[in-house]
Amino acid sequence: MKSWRCFLALLLILVLSVSLVSLLKTLSLEESSQSSSGCNATLAVEINPNLELFAVLYILAFNGSDYFITAPKGYINDVLMYFAPYRDDQAVKYIREVFNSSLPLYARDNEIAEFSSRLALLGYLPNETDLGELELLANFARKSDFMAFYEAHRSEYERIAQPLVKYLECAPEEYERLFGHTYESFRVEASYSLHIHPHVVFENETVYYVGGLYYMNNVTMLSYVMTALHEFTHPFVGDFLNGNFKIFENMSYYLIEMQNELPTTTTYDPDHYGSFYTYLNELFTESIAEYIALGCGVPRDYVLFRAKAMSAMFLPFWNLFDEYRKAEELNESLYQYAPTLAQHMGMWATPENVSVFYRKVVPVVEPSVLDRASYQGKLIIVYGTQNPDESGNEYDRETAYLLAERLRETYMRLYGQAPSIVVKADGNLTGEDLRGNLILIGDPVANSITARLNENLPVRFAFNGSWVLRRNPNAVKNFTAFRITENNISVIPLNSPVPSVLFGVVETIRNPWNSKGYVLIIAGIDRYGTREMSKWIQWQSYVIRGETYWEVGFYSMG
């Protein structure tokens, strides 16, 4: 279930402001971008020494095993061996106490981000004065000769930082074209081995992205590019809204609709959903970042994939890309185009029809069932009893209970509380149960409820000598499918065959017996595939997995 936790964690972005003090950059991959329009902004990407010092202490504090530690195993072992004589240092104890593992994930996430903002904007700690409690970290760095460890891993840091430069270096010029101005400097300040929730700090014409930076392949590298562009965009959008918010403020019904549809997510994420101003800030920031990504050479299919996922979090999302394009075609900055943009937003939906608009354009996503169940206080996991092989029924029953336990743990770690999670056999469901939020375990042969829904599922089971999966785009709206590999995300034709060697599918629909609820179907080609697929609840409408095949897709049900 770690993948599910990661997607929810992405919703908890902190936007922090910290005073700028002197900077000492020990490792910096500097690139200047200069355009014919006169853009002279600079870009730097670095693994920040202070953030990596924090990460080392964090690894020591939790003995190399914690949700927020992202480094490869070899690097963690290097930390534990090199710093072994200092594992009982006061700085280690301080980190262990401040970021107590008993706290909910979202609380620790916030604390790590806030602490990192302070560190990223200081010079290397042993060279600073008046550090307060941070003097513990500075003393640790001096005693352990932290910089020797840092220098020994320089090539790793450079390898992870360099690929971002080619995508980010054009961003200042793109901002200038869209907003009519840019800033003097853009800096990525990152840790290599600790998950630091991405956030932005802006001071003295310099925009700082602060976060973690560790990826395993090209696809995850592109996710960091997009996240950095998102954070770089925040100051521009903040300035834009400070001057133009009044012309949008009567459209808060967009936020209200999101709060109705994702009540738990919006409650636990006030930085995005706490007010219409913060919501509009995130909506514009993400959509503009994706628009700029296209201009900076990020592959179009990857941007489309991200836009599909983000459109499930923000309404209205899709229409904005055309608006930015129209502004450029008119040779107008967004400041000049703002009245037209506001007018169009007011026409896309009104308070009276915003729910209809939402269902038409926003994809249903797998975590919706968990969000709604948390809000309503109950989730029912339904295992099948129809398999003529009784051992298959028992295996699916065990899968249901294993999933229930993982979900309880996830809820507790995220929010400190969990809804009632009930496991039932398909033959024991009441009419009231069917109207709830359901997770169905098993394919149409095993689970009678899955069988009742199968013909109208977006990804259905069909028998062709053996059971196979087939996309069913006529059952939904706006169906888009993507093939994911380590190095690429690409759109695939809806009529292309689904490989036969698979684990199975996880997919989401609105509850046909109660349109305010959701049904999540977890169905494998066999009982073992069903159990494997129970580990793949992610922020998408469906996922199909095999040993070497990974497909995800999005659809709406308006």
Side-chain angles (χ1 to χ4, degrees):
M1 292 304 297
K2 187 170 182 177
S3 57
W4 156 237
R5 295 200 300 269
C6 288
F7 272 94
L8 269 187
L10 286 174
L11 299 178
L12 300 172
I13 295 174
L14 296 175
V15 182
L16 303 173
S17 295
V18 177
S19 297
L20 176 67
V21 294
S22 61
L23 292 167
L24 174 64
K25 302 308 181 188
T26 307
L27 171 64
S28 182
L29 301 174
E30 302 249 0
E31 295 287 339
S32 293
S33 61
Q34 185 168 355
S35 71
S36 58
S37 64
C39 178
N40 294 294
T42 61
L43 168 73
V45 180
E46 75 159 357
I47 300 301
N48 183 286
N50 289 342
L51 294 180
E52 201 52 30
L53 171 62
F54 173 30
V56 162
L57 288 165
Y58 196 97
I59 291 170
L60 294 172
F62 298 100
N63 198 32
S65 178
D66 183 83
Y67 173 81
F68 290 95
I69 297 172
T70 59
K73 186 175 181 180
Y75 185 89
I76 293 172
N77 289 338
D78 285 352
V79 170
L80 295 177
M81 291 181 60
Y82 182 90
F83 296 100
Y86 308 97
R87 297 178 87 163
D88 294 324
D89 191 87
Q90 288 299 312
V92 177
K93 295 177 181 178
Y94 170 76
I95 295 299
R96 188 183 298 123
E97 292 171 2
V98 172
F99 305 100
N100 194 306
S101 60
S102 66
L103 294 171
L105 281 182
Y106 72 88
R108 297 172 72 198
D109 193 60
N110 291 354
E111 291 289 339
I112 289 171
E114 186 172 3
F115 193 71
S116 298
S117 291
R118 296 172 59 195
L119 294 174
L121 300 183
L122 285 167
Y124 181 49
L125 290 185
N127 299 334
E128 292 288 312
T129 57
D130 300 322
L131 288 173
E133 75 279 11
L134 295 182
E135 186 62 36
L136 289 172
L137 280 68
N139 283 335
F140 176 91
R142 296 185 192 101
K143 288 185 291 186
S144 64
D145 194 6
F146 167 79
M147 284 309 301
F149 177 86
Y150 183 91
E151 289 292 339
H153 291 272
R154 176 182 288 271
S155 61
E156 285 182 71
Y157 303 151
E158 291 178 342
R159 177 181 54 81
I160 212 77
Q162 184 63 49
L164 274 69
V165 174
K166 73 172 185 177
Y167 291 109
L168 297 179
E169 63 185 352
C170 80
E173 182 179 349
E174 294 292 319
Y175 290 125
E176 185 170 60
R177 184 160 57 244
L178 199 56
F179 288 94
H181 72 95
T182 192
Y183 296 113
E184 292 178 0
S185 179
F186 296 80
R187 304 194 68 92
V188 172
E189 306 292 348
S191 166
Y192 175 69
S193 53
L194 185 66
H195 171 73
I196 299 170
H197 210 94
H199 56 282
V200 64
V201 180
F202 174 65
E203 187 75 31
N204 294 345
E205 290 297 308
T206 299
V207 183
Y208 298 87
Y209 163 93
V210 182
L213 183 57
Y214 173 73
Y215 55 86
M216 296 171 287
N217 52 51
N218 187 60
V219 168
T220 50
M221 182 273 291
L222 289 174
S223 73
Y224 281 104
V225 170
M226 286 303 313
T227 304
L229 286 173
H230 178 101
E231 299 305 333
F232 282 168
T233 304
H234 261 301
F236 292 93
V237 172
D239 288 344
F240 173 77
L241 283 178
N242 287 341
N244 292 285
F245 179 66
K246 284 191 174 296
I247 64 175
F248 297 99
E249 64 182 348
N250 65 342
M251 287 174 269
S252 60
Y253 51 85
Y254 284 116
L255 169 59
I256 294 170
E257 183 62 20
M258 291 300 306
Q259 292 169 334
N260 290 337
E261 290 290 342
L262 293 172
T264 301
T265 297
T266 54
T267 296
Y268 280 88
D269 189 1
D271 294 297
H272 286 164
Y273 302 99
S275 71
F276 187 54
Y277 180 92
T278 59
Y279 178 77
L280 208 58
N281 190 307
E282 292 298 330
L283 169 67
F284 286 153
T285 294
E286 176 60 27
S287 56
I288 289 170
E290 292 182 17
Y291 185 78
I292 286 175
L294 290 172
C296 287
V298 176
R300 183 169 294 274
D301 284 1
Y302 179 85
V303 176
L304 177 61
F305 168 79
R306 182 176 172 105
K308 286 283 185 179
M310 298 304 293
S311 68
M313 304 178 193
F314 299 105
L315 178 76
F317 195 90
W318 281 111
N319 311 61
L320 293 175
F321 285 87
D322 275 344
E323 296 301 313
Y324 305 146
R325 178 182 54 80
K326 290 173 184 175
E328 290 207 76
E329 288 176 351
L330 293 169
N331 199 28
E332 293 182 356
S333 71
L334 283 186
Y335 290 89
Q336 296 166 315
Y337 190 74
T340 302
L341 175 57
Q343 180 186 24
H344 290 174
M345 284 183 64
M347 295 167 59
W348 298 333
T350 66
E352 292 72 32
N353 69 9
V354 67
S355 294
V356 175
F357 179 70
Y358 178 96
R359 294 191 181 205
K360 180 180 178 181
V361 302
V362 174
V364 296
V365 288
E366 293 165 4
S368 293
V369 65
L370 306 183
D371 185 293
R372 187 60 59 88
S374 176
Y375 176 72
Q376 295 181 343
K378 186 176 183 180
L379 175 65
I380 303 175
I381 301 178
V382 184
Y383 65 91
T385 60
Q386 310 307 305
N387 194 324
D389 180 356
E390 184 58 37
S391 64
N393 296 326
E394 179 60 26
Y395 196 87
D396 281 353
R397 176 179 176 274
E398 291 175 359
T399 298
Y401 276 101
L402 288 171
L403 176 60
E405 188 58 34
R406 287 201 300 270
L407 289 176
R408 286 191 191 95
E409 177 188 352
T410 297
Y411 276 121
M412 292 303 296
R413 296 189 70 182
L414 279 170
Y415 307 127
Q417 58 183 345
S420 170
I421 301 178
V422 179
V423 177
K424 283 193 171 187
D426 54 355
N428 294 337
L429 290 189
T430 66
E432 183 62 26
D433 289 337
L434 283 174
R435 291 176 53 82
N437 294 287
L438 309 175
I439 297 181
L440 307 182
I441 301 294
D443 65 22
V445 173
N447 193 310
S448 63
I449 310 302
T450 305
R452 290 170 66 177
L453 298 174
N454 185 49
E455 284 305 308
N456 293 315
L457 289 178
V459 180
R460 66 183 181 88
F461 281 80
F463 191 76
N464 184 21
S466 60
W467 287 100
V468 296
L469 293 174
R470 290 183 179 166
R471 302 177 203 90
N472 186 18
N474 292 331
V476 290
K477 307 291 185 182
N478 305 315
F479 197 125
T480 309
F482 298 87
R483 174 75 192 277
I484 298 179
T485 65
E486 286 189 354
N487 292 309
N488 194 30
I489 293 181
S490 56
V491 175
I492 55 178
L494 296 181
N495 61 357
S496 62
V498 178
S500 58
V501 182
L502 294 170
F503 299 135
V505 63
V506 180
E507 58 187 307
T508 313
I509 60 172
R510 286 189 176 271
N511 189 323
W513 300 285
N514 172 19
S515 63
K516 293 185 178 180
Y518 292 91
V519 178
L520 184 69
I521 300 96
I522 302 176
I525 296 300
D526 55 27
R527 70 190 72 171
Y528 309 107
T530 296
R531 182 166 295 182
E532 178 64 26
M533 292 309 297
S534 71
K535 306 170 185 177
W536 289 98
I537 302 174
Q538 297 185 10
W539 201 270
Q540 57 219 359
S541 297
Y542 77 91
V543 57
I544 297 172
R545 286 302 305 262
E547 286 284 0
T548 60
Y549 186 79
W550 185 359
E551 175 186 328
V552 304
F554 299 89
Y555 45 75
S556 59
M557 303 191 70

